[in-house]
Amino acid sequence: MQTKYLIIGSSHAGLTAAEEIRVHDQDGALTMVSMEDCLPYSPTILPYIVEGKVDEKLIYLRDEKYFTDNKITFLKGKKVVTVDTKSSTVTLDDGTKIEYEKLMIGTGSAPTIPPVPGLKEAKYHVLRTMEDARKINQAAETAKHAVVMGTGLVGMHAAEGLGKKGLEVELIRGRRRAVLPNYFDGNAGKLIHQVFLDNGIKCNLDFQVKEVESVNGKSKVTLSHGEVVETDLLLVGTGVKSRMDFLGDASGVQVDQGILVDTMMRTSVENVWAAGDVAQAADFYGDERILTAILPDAYEQGKVAGLSMAGDETVIQAFEEIGGQASESYRGGISMNTFNFYGNRSFAVGLSLVSEEDGFEIDTMLFPTSCMYQKLVFDGDFLVGAIGINVTLDPGVITNMIRYKINLQGKKAEFARSPLDMSRRIMWESWRGAIKTAG
Amino acid sequence: MGNAYNTLAVYPEKCNGCGECEKACAKVKANSTDVVHSRIKVLKSLEDGFFGPVVCMQCGEPNCVKSCPAGALSKNPETGVVEWNEDKCVSCTICTLGCPYAGIYYNPLMSTVVKCDHCGGDPECVKVCEPKALEYRPEASVYNDQGDLEDLFAPGLAACLGCNMEILVRHVLRHVGPDTVLAAPPGCLPGVCAVGFNGFTGSKVPSFHPLLTNTASMLAGLRRYYKRKGRDVTALALAGDGGAADVGFQSLSGAAERGEEILFVCIDNEGYMNTGMQRSSTTPYGSWTSTTPVGPSLPGKANDSKYMPLVMLMHDVEYVGTAVTAYIDDFHRKVEKAYQASKRGFAYLHVFSPCTTGWRYPGDKTMEVQRQAVATNIFPLWEYEKATGKLAFTHPVDNPASLENYLSMLGKFRHLSKEQIEHLKNTAAMRVNILKAMSEQGLAGYQNLKVAV
Ligand SMILES: Cc1cc2nc3c(=O)[nH]c(=O)nc-3n(C[C@H](O)[C@H](O)[C@H](O)COP(=O)(O)OP(=O)(O)OC[C@H]3O[C@@H](n4cnc5c(N)ncnc54)[C@H](O)[C@@H]3O)c2cc1C
């Protein structure tokens, strides 16, 4: 078959790209392929499916009608196995060939499995797809004990979810001796860790997994200090890697840890774009291209890709003329996340991990007994990062202050005193006028 | 054509920080007196006296919707409201990351995110906002209703930059539709397009160019002729104030009194602006025109304007309305009523229409001048329907805005003395009093009125 636009992946990056394409081109043939045999959903919802907080039937992001209304051919349950950029053809696992004019790759990422002896051969779970979540739920019906490997977002979420299902849960760290080390600093990590301990999650950050073995349908997990834990359910959540195995060298698409793209989400090959977890794109802070693997970046990049693909010539031209800095182009990834656990809420945005030694000015407020923490990171007159646990600070206002580089011009002290009102006012005023950026 | 949406408009400069909106919102949304529950928030800074309400703007491309992993947020295609579905929400709060002013935010008392939903189209906060810093603007419905109708004027008219007439005539003609015959007596309109150039008209309906004096009588004949032939053709006049109130008045008054089935629109720019800004009978007291000059001995026009809308009402016609394009929803509502009424008898619509060239103000202020004329009661908006016998204000102004402000916007008034301004205020107040009495007591009110000025 033939199509003008082909999008691989039907999650945040793919869906936003399709939506944007339809803004500019209502009729061009648009095809979307997903390897999963279901309507589009977000992987971020999966911990809540495991926890049982929401019914699986409710969370799909689009219905069949959306695809008909928007003239999108949605091929679900079809996996892309190769991409031939010379003939502009994609081959699916059932042998179907799709010829495209413009291709966008939004295949996301897949769990990485650490090189722990015995793990690959043992029985273990991951959490990336609806199928994974169903399997975990099935296993959890009879399981009494679970081991969760990894203290990143997936691991922490899953540990809480399984714990709430009534399982005894042991959480074991991955490479780093901290919880959520990509987002939260030591102070924050300790508070979060304590809440998990208080809620009966076993978690000693001193140990790692040394070896895994399957015995009688159970997993025997040996820890670094020699202790052996037998468990009914082993979940690995130690990180992700870009899903791009269908791109052979012959495709010519340059990759590093992910598919390398410019700020219009174009790959090194003409007529091929990439966005979302799979893409390695501009960093907001530095010149290196980075993987961010978060939901907000996926839709933002998807939108830029869609705009660029639908060929709004003036925008693309403007982009070329000013050396890749069109306002519609991607501004670069900013690390950001919210993390809500056992009724507590937290977020971390931007350069949240840095300290004064790195040359930043830092304002903190810590009340461990009431599990409250606030950290504001300034670079000169600019807010560059923040952490909040159970504080009123609004993560969106803060994120946008960072993104639009709002100059606090000596109002830093005032800002640190009442950051919510101040930041809300600043963003609101900037929004009403044109947003003033510091270039 | 796509949908346009009603908006909850915020005018921060009018906000006095009273916080009534927050209370009303908390009450209706959570039945609570704790304003933490309010989805609208008044930012206050006592240091510099800054106040400003923040509330969800119901973005066109909402980031919160795009970032929801649960499909719990969606933009309603009918109303434009960004809706939150509690059953689907998992409280991950990722949506809050996308909003730059906390239009959607986490409410710790509810343990969920909350956001404004326009109260289903009737926002409580608007009702309690005394200083009118919040308004629910329904203009979008005009776009939805009219957007698909054919524009019956040629693109591009030769009017002055900032002229109000283009928007006026396009909206009227598009509303009444193609089964119309248009009379455009001398004035700006025929020149800029209605009867066109070199044998071509700029309107896409049959139009003709009567004399200033006989617009209404010619239209009366045409309407009768079409009727006899069995055709329901709208007889529409787009006449200036000269063609209505002065030179054209004899035929207009006759047609109105006979109940001819005509929709007569008077485009009142308060003078003969087309021929060099001479005074007319609707030119206000004190106004400069080329025939009421301002100098050491003459202070502008010596007489009050003729208040045409009431004069026409006294003809016992089917419909009289006063309108401005600056309140376009109200404008369309009245065009519709006048159009319907013109199928039964005479309908008169008096439109206040500022002239950037003749009144001497910048062309980008045409809408503002109209709004101020309404806000000062210089041009009150009202309508009268014979079918109900009722006169009603459609945009009542109880505390008129500063007349000085309005007058200072316009070059033609800049010379006015204190006494002249006082005179204008009295005239405006007297007219509003008459209208009020009539609206409160029916037409009898006019007779019972002791005009206390
Ligand atoms: C458990 C969990 C919790 C998370 N929590 C958060 C969080 O709190 N905050 C946050 O910001 N992010 C979170 N994330 C990350 C977030 O879900 C991702 O960043 C986001 O989903 C990326 O979107 P994407 O469109 O790039 O790719 P994905 O969502 O990974 O979707 C990839 C799509 O590509 C399709 N696909 C892949 N390969 C092929 C192929 N070969 N052929 C056909 N189709 C293919 C898949 O079927 C799928 O439709 C979480 C992720 C997980 C797994």
Side-chain angles (χ1 to χ4, degrees), chain B residues 27-204:
Chain B
K27 177 96 188 40
V28 65
K29 291 301 171 205
N31 196 16
S32 165
T33 50
D34 189 343
V35 293
V36 170
H37 288 295
S38 172
R39 294 152 191 208
I40 185 163
K41 164 96 184 132
V42 181
L43 302 179
K44 296 178 199 166
S45 164
L46 298 177
E47 273 159 50
D48 58 359
F50 168 90
F51 302 114
V54 267
V55 60
C56 170
M57 292 291 158
Q58 322 292 348
C59 295
E61 277 188 50
N63 277 348
C64 57
V65 173
K66 288 201 185 103
S67 57
C68 179
L73 290 161
S74 55
K75 188 168 174 74
N76 184 319
E78 296 301 320
T79 63
V81 169
V82 176
E83 293 174 340
W84 172 68
N85 183 331
E86 186 172 3
D87 294 337
K88 295 185 174 191
C89 179
V90 294
S91 283
C92 70
T93 63
I94 298 178
C95 53
T96 64
L97 282 168
C99 182
Y101 42 85
I104 186 163
Y105 66 99
Y106 185 80
N107 178 339
L109 298 184
M110 309 270 265
S111 301
T112 59
V113 290
V114 291
K115 69 176 297 304
C116 167
D117 60 3
H118 280 186
C119 294
D122 190 17
E124 290 296 321
C125 54
V126 171
K127 294 181 200 163
V128 298
C129 183
E130 195 95 329
K132 299 237 180 316
L134 298 169
E135 272 182 42
Y136 190 63
R137 309 287 327 169
E139 286 80 355
S141 60
V142 172
Y143 175 82
N144 294 334
D145 296 345
Q146 306 289 322
D148 285 332
L149 302 181
E150 188 182 2
D151 186 343
L152 294 170
F153 272 107
L157 308 188
C160 300
L161 197 63
C163 178
N164 183 51
M165 195 175 55
E166 173 165 2
I167 181 170
L168 192 160
V169 299
R170 283 191 194 281
H171 276 273
V172 170
L173 212 56
R174 161 181 228 147
H175 191 126
V176 300
D179 285 333
T180 299
V181 57
L182 168 66
C188 293
L189 180 63
V192 301
C193 118
V195 289
F197 313 98
N198 308 331
F200 292 98
T201 74
S203 63
K204 300 186 198 166

Side-chain angles (χ1 to χ4, degrees), chain B residues 391-415:
Chain B
L391 184 150
F393 289 93
T394 56
H395 191 104
V397 177
D398 294 329
N399 303 306
S402 148
L403 185 62
E404 284 81 356
N405 251 356
Y406 168 72
L407 298 172
S408 70
M409 292 173 78
L410 306 172
K412 67 174 180 174
F413 285 130
R414 227 160 268 149
H415 59 280

Side-chain angles (χ1 to χ4, degrees), chain A residues 16 42 45 48 53-54 58-59 61 295 299 303 338 340 345 394-397 399-400 424-425 427-429 432, chain B residues 10 12 41 43 45 48 50 53-54 61 63 67 69-71 88 90-94 96-97 99-100 102 106:
Chain A
T16 321
S42 169
I45 199 69
Y48 303 94
K53 191 163 185 177
V54 66
L58 288 178
I59 53 76
L61 299 176
L295 190 164
Y299 78 72
K303 182 178 157 68
T338 57
N340 299 339
R345 69 213 138 84
D394 183 88
V397 183
T399 303
N400 284 284
R424 245 182 163 178
R425 174 174 171 184
M427 276 326 293
W428 185 77
E429 284 183 329
R432 292 192 73 91
Chain B
V10 175
K41 164 96 184 132
L43 302 179
S45 164
D48 58 359
F50 168 90
V54 267
E61 277 188 50
N63 277 348
S67 57
K88 295 185 174 191
V90 294
S91 283
C92 70
T93 63
I94 298 178
T96 64
L97 282 168
C99 182
Y106 185 80

